[in-house]
Amino acid sequence: MSIASFVLAVSALTTPVDPFIGTMGDGHMFPGAVYPFGMVQLSPDTQTRYFKQSYPWAAGYQYDDPTILGFSHTHFSGAGHSDLGDVLTVPIAGAVRLDPGEADEPLSGYRSRFSHDSEKAEPGYYAVTLSDYDVRAELTATARVGLHRYTFPAGKTAHVLVDLRSAIYDYPGKVLWSRIRVRADGTVTGYRQTRGWAPGRQLYFALRFSSKPVSNQIYNREQPKPEYDPGFAPWAKRDDVIFREGRALVAVFDFGALPSSQLNVKVAISGVGEENAIANLDAEAPGWDFDATRTAAAAAWHAALATVEIEASEPVRKMLYTSLYHTLMAPSIFMDVDGSYRGPDHEIHHAQGFTFRSTFSLWDTYRALHPLLTLLRPESDNIDFVRSLVASWQQGPDGLLPVWQFQGQETWTMIGYHAVPVIADNWLKGIKGDPGPLSLDAMVASATNPRYAGLDEYMKLGWVASDKEREGASKTLEYAFDDWTIARAAESMGRLDIAKQFEARARNWRNVFDPKTGFMRARKSDGQFREPFDPAAAGYYGDYTEGNAWQYTWYVPQDTAGLIRAMGGNKRFVAKLDALFDSKVDPKAFANVEDITGLIGYYAHGNEPSHHIGYLYVYAGQPWKTQERLKQIVTSQYQPVPGGLSGNDDLGQMSAWLIFTSLGFYPVTPGSGEYVIGRPFVDRAVLHLPNGKTFTIVAENLSDTHGYVGGVRLNGRPLSRAFIRHDEILAGGELRFIMQAQPSRSWATDPRSRPYSMSSYQ
Amino acid sequence: MSIASFVLAVSALTTPVDPFIGTMGDGHMFPGAVYPFGMVQLSPDTQTRYFKQSYPWAAGYQYDDPTILGFSHTHFSGAGHSDLGDVLTVPIAGAVRLDPGEADEPLSGYRSRFSHDSEKAEPGYYAVTLSDYDVRAELTATARVGLHRYTFPAGKTAHVLVDLRSAIYDYPGKVLWSRIRVRADGTVTGYRQTRGWAPGRQLYFALRFSSKPVSNQIYNREQPKPEYDPGFAPWAKRDDVIFREGRALVAVFDFGALPSSQLNVKVAISGVGEENAIANLDAEAPGWDFDATRTAAAAAWHAALATVEIEASEPVRKMLYTSLYHTLMAPSIFMDVDGSYRGPDHEIHHAQGFTFRSTFSLWDTYRALHPLLTLLRPESDNIDFVRSLVASWQQGPDGLLPVWQFQGQETWTMIGYHAVPVIADNWLKGIKGDPGPLSLDAMVASATNPRYAGLDEYMKLGWVASDKEREGASKTLEYAFDDWTIARAAESMGRLDIAKQFEARARNWRNVFDPKTGFMRARKSDGQFREPFDPAAAGYYGDYTEGNAWQYTWYVPQDTAGLIRAMGGNKRFVAKLDALFDSKVDPKAFANVEDITGLIGYYAHGNEPSHHIGYLYVYAGQPWKTQERLKQIVTSQYQPVPGGLSGNDDLGQMSAWLIFTSLGFYPVTPGSGEYVIGRPFVDRAVLHLPNGKTFTIVAENLSDTHGYVGGVRLNGRPLSRAFIRHDEILAGGELRFIMQAQPSRSWATDPRSRPYSMSSYQ
């Protein structure tokens, strides 16, 4: 056994990951090869080129599709909207078809059938046999380079097709411009600019083959033919075209009969330029040792995953390690090896002392993903996120922190200014390298930008006026929480003026609470609630964001105590929570809103506004009810199978929820420094913290029949409160749950044992 | 009188320039403001947006148009194909219309009527009154910045519209992408990428107003509405839009009632990026003193124009100084103040020790423009051209020196590899800073690139095979000349192997000479001339480039003696030349070929293949016939009026021809170091050479009736030969022509007095 295979074996033993989990249905995961937080996500695409309905193919791949188009180098992990699918590379044996063809018409194009039996996926590695060509394709990756190893059948000519038209969430006209160039040394470089989810996005690449092509063609397939086509270059019709520009480029590299049957391809990407892509390629993949790269990727994953040791049943371990794997992909690197990157102004910048990151799905990830990374990767990653966010604010044209940014470009997707809680939480946790006052400037500027969705009215009235701005109820609630985190960060920096201003804004949730119906409702400029009102109604462009009043009414993470009081006390609060979970709801009720999935009553675990709700019973002194609901959620929403995710993983948020919840606690209120204790789902877990300490979670007597927390001990001493603080975890030690068959009506039920709420301090 | 106005007055007195010359008809000149070799050419555009026939508007302006669209920042001077017209800026008083409207429907759009009475143009300055708005617009420029001074009428609101859709040679889909951003300090930046003559060209800009706008709107007028429009940014519908991307952007800046009626606008451009455009703006136009900038531009022009002192009648002086003005615009600067530029690979490069230039109309300009600049601006400009050409070869994707390049981008327009004679001539003239061996590498690589139009067959057969490649006759002839210049440069560098190889290729003109018809003809791969043959036939995609056999048969500048011999001697040669000039040709005969204009018989002075022909009588020992033909050409083809150019000025080539010819000599064979003596058209001229010496041309007894050269004295000693050498001019001194009423049958008729021909040395 070589060292390489030994590492792979150890990795597989200790951190069982199944990249196929979430690749079917609403999970929107991709099974391909990626390095932790890598800029390249090299994965098979199975979608049809122009979708009638693109949503299922947000990651390019759906498990039940019969064909693979090829392998492209960029993918989102679990997104609800999409783009990417750059530099589609296709190995072809025999005849070459220039267009992808239809999935249900074999050999109608270059796409090939495949069988799941031939597929293999591990962290940093993916393989499949393209059965129409009998080509074995293996993929691995460094941070910025995708490596392909193709094994061709004997006796057939080998080709590689590169289709710069192919895109995830494609539509006519998406590719604005593209280029392919074959350089004198055989390096193929190019770029494309697309108007997709991110407008005007530029992506550059550099590609090398392990063998020299016999010939290369570059076609421009644009239809209708452009009025002025740069393909009029004097040699554009030759067989050895070395340069072409246009809107529909396809290159075909012909290798004839390969000397050996194997052909390796390596592709680096860059947001900056072709020369930078070459530099990335040279730096990260100078040679041709596919196995060594695969081993290095596996080792990097193993090191990243092994920071959490989990003892549980194998299905649970697989689910959790796969979840952990999913939390270590985004916000991904978007910077070249020389420190340069293309920022939100589309200009080239140089990161000073940090690694620029992008793919910020902040509305999702501020809730649990970022808090998880403040524990597991504070200085290696979380501080990069903060500095990247602040740099984007400085460089962006809009004067706002990113909302939903990828490859440096803003998409204006979802609501709120949730870079704020990420930054504030980071600051409040004292993670080294935070730019401090500059962070505060960025947060305040974003939260007071009158151009941003309804903020002008929000600042005047105290709510987002629903006659002027859509989703007024949701926006008011989320702004108010974000404001609270600014208040906390400002307070900690000694800026009490700012703290006071935003503390007041943090109470704005009260302005959209309707005591008559007991729901959060959108309010108009004149102060009236909008009529008619149906707490079950959901739809795009209504008063709620991907949800309804049932789901959004619980969104006061900064002041659940205040919410309980507003609702009329613990009893009514709990009754309403129960009604949320126990209502009989037609599963098709929300078919009109793509993201409302994973229903338990009106509770929708497939989407983020619900994520904290299971923990809220704790605030009403009934932690056992939280324990029950968590079991209900965990068992119904996560399965270690391709269709095992009930909703989009959302760049790690769904997964981070499961990790926290399985460990026994969850960050209901990022910025508070507290994690609310639920109940564990693993027998034992050890967090190997970056500060060198370990924090161990033990669940004594945990079993299917013993799902209630009877008591908790922190470092051997009884813990009677229903939360644990960030600094207590960082200090290392042991959190021991004593599980029992019956609910405990005494543990952590005292009002003084409850987690942070603004009102508790009044 | 201030110093500023004094300089202007002196300049106007001594160097009378009329920028309107050539703005009507086929000249394709623009009347706007430009700095010598400036990157910005700020000029009014009069064309209709989508042309049915765009050719007349190659410079954006036609003198007889009734309306002005606005003022854009980039223009070609006298091009035969076109593009540019970037960042159209329009001052508007009162109501704003967002589309340009039709020229024949007043007030149907933002374009305004104007009267030539209100127009004023001088080097570095242009002014006009837009009568629909009663706005006085004045323009001036630095190298990289255009300055506008608008005087608005009292009582009307002032606006400035910036239309990123507007383009010269526009067509639907030309704008691939664009951006406009209003920065916090009020600077407006942006870019657009176009698929015009140069594919995928990117141009960035930075604009500042002297007053702060009251509001700004940015519209995306794309139709049909795009499927995914980044205008969904949360504030895209607000009045103070600060950022927008799209394919059809129009920005309107509203200044309300201006405190003073004047508004200044300054716009810098960059090929690199928005930050670079800002840096260009900061460096070259930090303040708001329009008059100072105008004075500086006038002074720069005066200094440049004053290097040639001309004594002649005022119309001749005006024609010549305007011609000189036209020779000092291109190849223009295309580099930012920090030395960076976007090269032919679309990547950003940094010029080391030179200023990157582009707008190389080489098929035209290698003939007389570049030779003129080797005299007037060798080290300040010509060496930059050479280094830019070589850098483009190194950086370009095609392995070839530029053919027709602008803003760093290749257009593949026209034929030949005429960067070669520019580089070779520069080397052979010993101009300091030439990269020598690297230049030779670039020339040889270009001349032996089998991908380039017909070169593979040319290298195998000795001619461009007309069954494989169009324009085979013209290409063979031009390649052969270019090859001769490589041979000369290689010889001078001691690379005799290369010299021998290209000396042989220089004789390839013989392969397309048909002794039977006496014409140059295209030859097929099998060696047969193509049939049927009509020496008068011309058309695109035939055997000749913008010409016919009558025009192309004379193109052996490296070996006119050989051509004479092939034609059967001096008598037949002269008879055929006379037939060329004296044939009766229907002026509409060539209506199908845009560039064949300025006809005298079949001689077409409006296009470059004819330019040397008038001088060829000299090689047959009949210089007086050259003198007659030159008079015929000069008087019929150049008039100091808007319609006074018979053909495209072609970036200074037509003008350079006139300057040389008026001084009495012309570079028939660039690379030979010789100028063939014709006859002067000025009484006296002084060249103030950059080496500090002066070379004076005197035409004794010159008059309308005294147009023949009776004798020539160089520095007082009789010059019996019909040419003068470059080094003789550089040495300074006096060339004195003694003019007479009758032709001299003795001066320079001896075979030993004739200019260089390859065959003469055999």
Side-chain angles (χ1 to χ4, degrees):
Chain A
M1 185 181 262
S2 70
I3 290 178
S5 51
F6 172 75
V7 169
L8 287 174
V10 167
S11 166
L13 270 174
T14 57
T15 57
V17 170
D18 179 4
F20 289 108
I21 295 175
T23 60
M24 189 162 82
D26 285 326
H28 294 184
M29 309 306 281
F30 63 83
V34 60
Y35 196 83
F37 296 104
M39 185 155 136
V40 159
Q41 305 86 27
L42 177 55
S43 191
D45 292 330
T46 65
Q47 83 277 15
T48 302
R49 204 173 151 223
Y50 296 128
F51 319 108
K52 287 187 182 61
Q53 210 239 345
S54 19
Y55 183 71
W57 287 275
Y61 183 96
Q62 270 290 351
Y63 193 80
D64 44 11
D65 280 340
T67 65
I68 284 173
L69 279 171
F71 310 101
S72 73
H73 294 77
T74 51
H75 295 82
F76 294 122
S77 181
H81 195 86
S82 203
D83 199 331
L84 305 176
D86 297 299
V87 199
L88 184 84
T89 304
V90 193
I92 294 173
V96 175
R97 286 164 286 268
L98 292 179
D99 294 306
E102 298 301 322
D104 52 4
E105 292 175 33
L107 308 179
S108 63
Y110 60 66
R111 64 167 73 228
S112 168
R113 284 168 290 191
F114 74 107
S115 157
H116 291 306
D117 296 343
S118 78
E119 266 186 319
K120 183 172 180 178
E122 301 170 348
Y125 179 76
Y126 171 90
V128 69
T129 299
L130 299 180
S131 50
D132 287 341
Y133 302 125
D134 194 20
V135 168
R136 182 74 181 158
E138 297 171 280
L139 312 177
T140 188
T142 69
R144 296 169 179 87
V145 182
L147 283 90
H148 311 233
R149 178 163 63 190
Y150 301 142
T151 307
F152 286 88
K156 286 208 172 172
T157 53
H159 303 88
V160 173
L161 179 149
V162 175
D163 192 345
L164 289 196
R165 297 169 301 176
S166 194
I168 294 172
Y169 270 46
D170 197 7
Y171 63 87
K174 179 171 176 178
V175 175
L176 293 167
W177 201 245
S178 58
R179 274 193 287 278
I180 299 179
R181 172 179 178 187
V182 183
R183 292 172 184 248
D185 70 352
T187 307
V188 180
T189 60
Y191 111 117
R192 75 171 175 183
Q193 185 168 18
T194 49
R195 61 183 313 179
W197 192 12
R201 179 176 67 94
Q202 296 170 58
L203 195 79
Y204 299 82
F205 68 92
L207 177 156
R208 286 196 184 119
F209 298 110
S210 59
S211 295
K212 193 177 150 55
V214 175
S215 75
N216 39 268
Q217 294 89 32
I218 311 174
Y219 304 94
N220 186 6
R221 306 278 285 173
E222 188 176 352
Q223 290 299 338
K225 288 243 175 236
E227 200 158 328
Y228 208 77
D229 180 8
F232 62 85
W235 47 80
K237 283 170 193 158
R238 289 179 60 104
D239 273 357
D240 54 346
V241 174
I242 54 168
F243 182 60
R244 192 142 193 172
E245 305 185 58
R247 297 191 67 178
L249 300 185
V250 190
V252 178
F253 301 90
D254 178 1
F255 295 88
L258 285 169
S260 88
S261 62
Q262 269 187 1
L263 177 71
N264 283 26
V265 186
K266 51 189 180 185
V267 182
I269 62 171
S270 164
V272 172
E274 294 179 23
E275 295 290 348
N276 272 48
I278 291 173
N280 288 344
L281 192 61
D282 286 340
E284 296 194 350
W288 288 107
D289 192 338
F290 181 94
D291 289 323
T293 304
R294 178 184 171 188
T295 303
W301 276 112
H302 178 64
L305 296 166
T307 56
V308 184
E309 262 180 73
I310 293 166
E311 286 178 30
S313 71
E314 269 318 291
V316 169
R317 291 186 79 237
K318 190 199 273 188
M319 191 72 226
L320 282 172
Y321 275 114
T322 304
S323 295
L324 190 54
Y325 170 70
H326 287 153
T327 62
L328 302 172
M329 294 192 184
S332 43
I333 294 169
F334 188 66
M335 184 182 92
D336 292 335
V337 290
D338 70 349
S340 64
Y341 64 93
R342 193 171 296 273
D345 52 357
H346 298 276
E347 299 260 310
I348 294 161
H349 301 278
H350 299 271
Q352 302 296 337
F354 69 102
T355 301
F356 187 77
R357 307 297 196 103
S358 198
T359 309
F360 284 103
S361 185
L362 291 160
W363 181 80
D364 305 298
T365 56
Y366 81 93
R367 301 167 199 261
L369 174 73
H370 285 285
L372 181 68
L373 298 176
T374 64
L375 281 169
L376 301 184
R377 303 176 75 96
E379 281 159 33
S380 60
D381 292 275
N382 216 63
I383 199 71
D384 277 344
F385 306 151
V386 170
R387 297 195 60 181
S388 301
L389 291 168
V390 172
S392 289
W393 166 69
Q394 291 178 297
Q395 293 153 4
D398 301 299
L400 273 166
L401 284 157
V403 173
W404 209 126
Q405 186 206 68
F406 73 94
Q407 292 193 358
Q409 303 306 312
E410 185 52 73
T411 70
W412 301 120
T413 303
M414 306 311 295
I415 66 166
Y417 29 92
H418 298 306
V420 159
V422 173
I423 294 170
D425 194 39
N426 190 78
W427 169 263
L428 290 161
K429 286 174 176 167
I431 295 168
K432 268 185 214 156
D434 194 294
L438 191 62
S439 291
L440 186 63
D441 288 348
M443 292 193 284
V444 170
S446 297
T448 56
N449 189 322
R451 285 192 178 80
Y452 187 61
L455 261 183
D456 45 359
E457 298 289 327
Y458 176 82
M459 290 191 283
K460 267 185 270 172
L461 302 172
W463 62 88
V464 172
S466 69
D467 48 339
K468 307 227 169 144
E469 178 76 23
R470 69 193 206 199
E471 302 167 52
S474 295
K475 285 175 182 170
T476 302
L477 291 167
E478 297 192 10
Y479 293 174
F481 168 68
D482 293 347
D483 292 342
W484 174 81
T485 69
I486 296 176
R488 293 286 71 76
E491 187 180 44
S492 129
M493 293 183 202
R495 293 297 304 273
L496 300 186
D497 51 332
I498 295 174
K500 194 176 166 193
Q501 177 194 354
F502 283 90
E503 180 112 0
R505 285 171 52 150
R507 297 198 178 86
N508 281 340
W509 65 270
R510 296 180 181 176
N511 295 330
V512 290
F513 182 75
D514 172 18
K516 214 165 102 190
T517 60
F519 284 104
M520 298 292 182
R521 295 179 60 182
R523 216 169 173 132
K524 296 185 289 181
S525 323
D526 64 6
Q528 299 296 306
F529 289 115
R530 193 142 80 162
E531 300 290 351
F533 173 65
D534 171 4
Y540 297 114
Y541 316 123
D543 293 336
Y544 305 90
T545 302
E546 295 182 356
N548 60 16
W550 269 113
Q551 290 146 7
Y552 253 98
T553 289
W554 315 99
Y555 195 77
V556 194
Q558 73 277 29
D559 196 6
T560 302
L563 178 65
I564 292 172
R565 201 169 306 150
M567 281 191 179
N570 288 339
K571 201 172 160 186
R572 289 200 186 172
F573 180 80
V574 167
K576 196 165 189 121
L577 271 177
D578 283 342
L580 172 80
F581 282 98
D582 298 335
S583 290
K584 287 210 186 309
V585 177
D586 178 357
K588 291 180 188 163
F590 301 114
N592 64 323
V593 183
E594 283 166 340
D595 293 89
I596 305 181
T597 59
L599 289 176
I600 302 174
Y602 282 116
Y603 177 89
H605 191 72
N607 209 19
E608 279 66 15
S610 292
H611 278 191
H612 68 302
I613 302 176
Y615 286 90
L616 298 187
Y617 291 98
V618 168
Y619 293 80
Q622 302 192 11
W624 67 89
K625 283 227 162 191
T626 282
Q627 296 154 27
E628 286 170 10
R629 294 301 179 192
L630 295 179
K631 182 173 185 184
Q632 200 179 358
I633 299 166
V634 166
T635 54
S636 65
Q637 305 296 316
Y638 295 91
Q639 299 297 329
V641 294
L645 290 186
S646 68
N648 310 151
D649 193 65
D650 285 321
L651 289 304
Q653 167 59 25
M654 282 284 281
S655 290
W657 186 95
L658 184 65
I659 294 165
F660 269 125
T661 295
S662 298
L663 297 177
F665 48 85
Y666 184 84
V668 169
T669 313
S672 70
E674 296 179 0
Y675 302 88
V676 177
I677 292 177
R679 53 149 292 193
F681 288 82
V682 295
D683 298 319
R684 187 167 177 276
V686 182
L687 306 186
H688 296 278
L689 300 169
N691 62 10
K693 310 220 166 141
T694 58
F695 187 75
T696 304
I697 292 109
V698 180
E700 270 185 32
N701 304 327
L702 175 70
S703 72
D704 275 357
T705 58
H706 287 64
Y708 289 102
V709 176
V712 179
R713 285 177 176 273
L714 178 62
N715 300 325
R717 297 170 59 185
L719 187 76
S720 63
R721 51 181 153 91
F723 62 91
I724 180 169
R725 289 197 312 272
H726 186 72
D727 54 8
E728 291 170 334
I729 298 175
L730 289 195
E734 185 196 79
L735 184 69
R736 180 172 291 262
F737 292 88
I738 297 92
M739 305 303 291
Q740 61 188 38
Q742 297 302 322
S744 160
R745 307 277 166 171
S746 57
W747 176 76
T749 55
D750 185 89
R752 284 165 303 177
S753 72
R754 290 172 200 161
Y756 175 88
S757 286
M758 282 182 81
S759 298
S760 311
Y761 290 85
Q762 289 179 322
Chain B
M1 185 183 261
S2 70
I3 289 177
S5 51
F6 173 75
V7 169
L8 287 172
V10 167
S11 165
L13 270 175
T14 57
T15 58
V17 171
D18 179 3
F20 290 108
I21 294 175
T23 60
M24 189 162 82
D26 285 325
H28 294 186
M29 308 307 281
F30 63 82
V34 60
Y35 197 85
F37 297 104
M39 186 156 139
V40 159
Q41 304 87 26
L42 177 55
S43 190
D45 293 330
T46 64
Q47 83 276 17
T48 301
R49 205 173 150 223
Y50 297 128
F51 318 108
K52 288 187 180 62
Q53 211 238 345
S54 18
Y55 183 71
W57 288 275
Y61 182 96
Q62 271 289 352
Y63 193 80
D64 43 11
D65 280 340
T67 65
I68 284 174
L69 280 171
F71 310 101
S72 73
H73 294 77
T74 51
H75 295 83
F76 293 123
S77 181
H81 195 85
S82 202
D83 199 331
L84 304 176
D86 297 298
V87 200
L88 184 83
T89 303
V90 193
I92 294 173
V96 175
R97 287 164 286 267
L98 292 178
D99 294 306
E102 298 300 322
D104 51 4
E105 291 174 36
L107 307 179
S108 63
Y110 60 66
R111 65 167 73 228
S112 168
R113 285 168 288 190
F114 74 107
S115 156
H116 291 305
D117 296 343
S118 78
E119 267 185 319
K120 183 171 181 179
E122 301 170 348
Y125 178 77
Y126 171 87
V128 69
T129 299
L130 299 179
S131 50
D132 287 342
Y133 302 126
D134 195 20
V135 168
R136 183 73 181 160
E138 297 171 280
L139 313 176
T140 188
T142 70
R144 296 167 180 89
V145 182
L147 283 90
H148 311 232
R149 178 163 65 189
Y150 300 143
T151 307
F152 286 89
K156 286 209 172 173
T157 54
H159 303 87
V160 173
L161 179 149
V162 175
D163 192 345
L164 290 195
R165 298 168 301 177
S166 194
I168 294 171
Y169 271 46
D170 196 8
Y171 63 87
K174 178 170 177 179
V175 175
L176 293 167
W177 201 245
S178 57
R179 273 193 286 279
I180 299 179
R181 171 180 178 188
V182 183
R183 293 172 184 247
D185 70 352
T187 308
V188 180
T189 60
Y191 110 118
R192 75 171 176 183
Q193 185 168 17
T194 48
R195 61 183 314 180
W197 193 13
R201 180 176 67 95
Q202 297 169 58
L203 194 79
Y204 299 83
F205 69 91
L207 177 156
R208 286 196 185 118
F209 298 110
S210 59
S211 296
K212 193 176 151 55
V214 175
S215 75
N216 39 268
Q217 294 88 34
I218 310 174
Y219 305 93
N220 186 4
R221 307 278 286 172
E222 189 176 352
Q223 291 298 341
K225 287 243 175 235
E227 200 157 327
Y228 208 76
D229 181 7
F232 63 84
W235 47 79
K237 284 170 193 157
R238 290 179 59 103
D239 272 357
D240 54 346
V241 174
I242 54 169
F243 182 60
R244 191 144 195 171
E245 304 186 59
R247 297 191 66 178
L249 300 185
V250 190
V252 177
F253 302 90
D254 178 0
F255 296 87
L258 286 168
S260 88
S261 62
Q262 269 188 1
L263 178 71
N264 282 28
V265 186
K266 51 189 181 185
V267 182
I269 63 171
S270 164
V272 171
E274 294 178 24
E275 295 290 349
N276 272 50
I278 291 172
N280 289 345
L281 193 59
D282 286 339
E284 295 193 350
W288 288 107
D289 191 339
F290 182 95
D291 289 323
T293 305
R294 179 185 171 189
T295 304
W301 275 114
H302 177 63
L305 296 167
T307 56
V308 184
E309 263 179 71
I310 294 166
E311 286 177 29
S313 69
E314 268 317 292
V316 169
R317 291 186 80 238
K318 188 198 274 189
M319 191 70 227
L320 282 172
Y321 275 112
T322 303
S323 296
L324 190 55
Y325 170 72
H326 287 153
T327 62
L328 302 173
M329 293 193 187
S332 43
I333 294 169
F334 188 65
M335 184 183 92
D336 293 335
V337 290
D338 70 350
S340 64
Y341 64 93
R342 192 171 295 274
D345 52 357
H346 297 277
E347 299 260 309
I348 294 161
H349 301 278
H350 298 270
Q352 302 296 336
F354 68 102
T355 300
F356 188 78
R357 307 296 196 102
S358 197
T359 309
F360 283 103
S361 185
L362 290 160
W363 182 80
D364 304 299
T365 56
Y366 82 91
R367 301 167 199 260
L369 175 72
H370 286 285
L372 180 68
L373 298 176
T374 63
L375 281 169
L376 301 185
R377 304 175 75 96
E379 282 159 33
S380 59
D381 293 275
N382 216 62
I383 199 70
D384 278 342
F385 306 151
V386 170
R387 296 195 61 182
S388 302
L389 291 168
V390 172
S392 290
W393 166 69
Q394 291 178 298
Q395 293 154 4
D398 302 298
L400 273 166
L401 284 158
V403 173
W404 209 125
Q405 187 206 68
F406 73 94
Q407 291 193 358
Q409 302 306 311
E410 185 51 73
T411 69
W412 301 120
T413 303
M414 306 311 296
I415 66 166
Y417 28 91
H418 299 305
V420 159
V422 173
I423 294 170
D425 194 38
N426 190 76
W427 169 264
L428 290 161
K429 286 174 177 168
I431 295 168
K432 268 185 214 156
D434 194 294
L438 189 63
S439 291
L440 186 63
D441 289 348
M443 291 192 286
V444 171
S446 298
T448 57
N449 189 322
R451 285 193 178 79
Y452 188 62
L455 260 184
D456 46 359
E457 299 289 328
Y458 176 82
M459 289 190 284
K460 268 184 272 172
L461 302 172
W463 62 88
V464 172
S466 68
D467 48 338
K468 306 225 168 143
E469 178 76 23
R470 69 192 205 202
E471 301 168 51
S474 295
K475 284 175 183 170
T476 301
L477 291 167
E478 296 192 12
Y479 294 174
F481 168 67
D482 292 347
D483 291 342
W484 174 79
T485 69
I486 296 177
R488 292 288 71 75
E491 186 180 46
S492 127
M493 293 183 203
R495 293 297 304 274
L496 299 186
D497 51 333
I498 295 173
K500 194 176 166 192
Q501 176 194 354
F502 284 90
E503 180 112 0
R505 286 171 52 150
R507 296 196 179 88
N508 281 339
W509 66 269
R510 295 180 182 176
N511 296 329
V512 289
F513 182 75
D514 171 20
K516 216 167 100 192
T517 61
F519 285 103
M520 298 290 182
R521 296 179 60 183
R523 215 169 172 131
K524 297 184 290 181
S525 322
D526 65 6
Q528 299 297 305
F529 289 114
R530 193 143 81 162
E531 300 289 350
F533 173 66
D534 170 4
Y540 297 115
Y541 316 124
D543 293 335
Y544 306 90
T545 302
E546 294 181 356
N548 60 15
W550 268 114
Q551 289 145 8
Y552 254 99
T553 289
W554 314 99
Y555 195 77
V556 195
Q558 74 276 30
D559 195 7
T560 302
L563 178 66
I564 292 171
R565 202 169 305 148
M567 282 192 178
N570 288 340
K571 201 172 161 187
R572 289 200 186 173
F573 181 81
V574 167
K576 195 166 191 117
L577 271 177
D578 282 342
L580 171 80
F581 282 99
D582 298 334
S583 289
K584 286 209 187 312
V585 177
D586 178 357
K588 291 181 189 162
F590 302 115
N592 63 323
V593 183
E594 283 166 339
D595 293 89
I596 306 181
T597 58
L599 290 176
I600 302 174
Y602 283 115
Y603 178 88
H605 192 72
N607 209 18
E608 279 67 14
S610 293
H611 278 191
H612 67 302
I613 302 177
Y615 285 90
L616 297 186
Y617 292 99
V618 168
Y619 293 80
Q622 302 194 10
W624 66 89
K625 282 226 162 193
T626 282
Q627 295 153 28
E628 284 169 12
R629 294 300 180 192
L630 294 179
K631 181 173 186 185
Q632 200 179 358
I633 298 166
V634 167
T635 53
S636 65
Q637 306 295 317
Y638 296 91
Q639 299 297 327
V641 294
L645 290 186
S646 69
N648 310 151
D649 192 65
D650 285 320
L651 289 305
Q653 167 59 25
M654 282 283 280
S655 290
W657 186 96
L658 183 66
I659 294 165
F660 269 125
T661 296
S662 299
L663 297 177
F665 47 85
Y666 184 84
V668 169
T669 312
S672 69
E674 296 179 0
Y675 302 88
V676 177
I677 293 177
R679 53 148 291 192
F681 289 82
V682 296
D683 298 319
R684 187 166 178 274
V686 182
L687 306 186
H688 295 278
L689 301 168
N691 63 9
K693 309 216 167 145
T694 58
F695 188 75
T696 303
I697 293 109
V698 180
E700 272 187 30
N701 305 327
L702 175 69
S703 72
D704 277 356
T705 58
H706 286 66
Y708 290 102
V709 176
V712 179
R713 286 177 175 270
L714 177 62
N715 300 324
R717 297 171 57 187
L719 187 76
S720 63
R721 53 181 152 91
F723 62 92
I724 180 169
R725 289 198 312 272
H726 187 72
D727 54 7
E728 291 170 335
I729 297 174
L730 290 194
E734 185 196 80
L735 184 70
R736 180 173 292 261
F737 292 87
I738 296 92
M739 305 303 290
Q740 60 189 39
Q742 296 303 322
S744 162
R745 310 276 166 170
S746 58
W747 176 76
T749 56
D750 185 273
R752 285 165 302 178
S753 71
R754 291 173 199 162
Y756 175 89
S757 287
M758 281 182 81
S759 298
S760 311
Y761 290 85
Q762 290 180 323

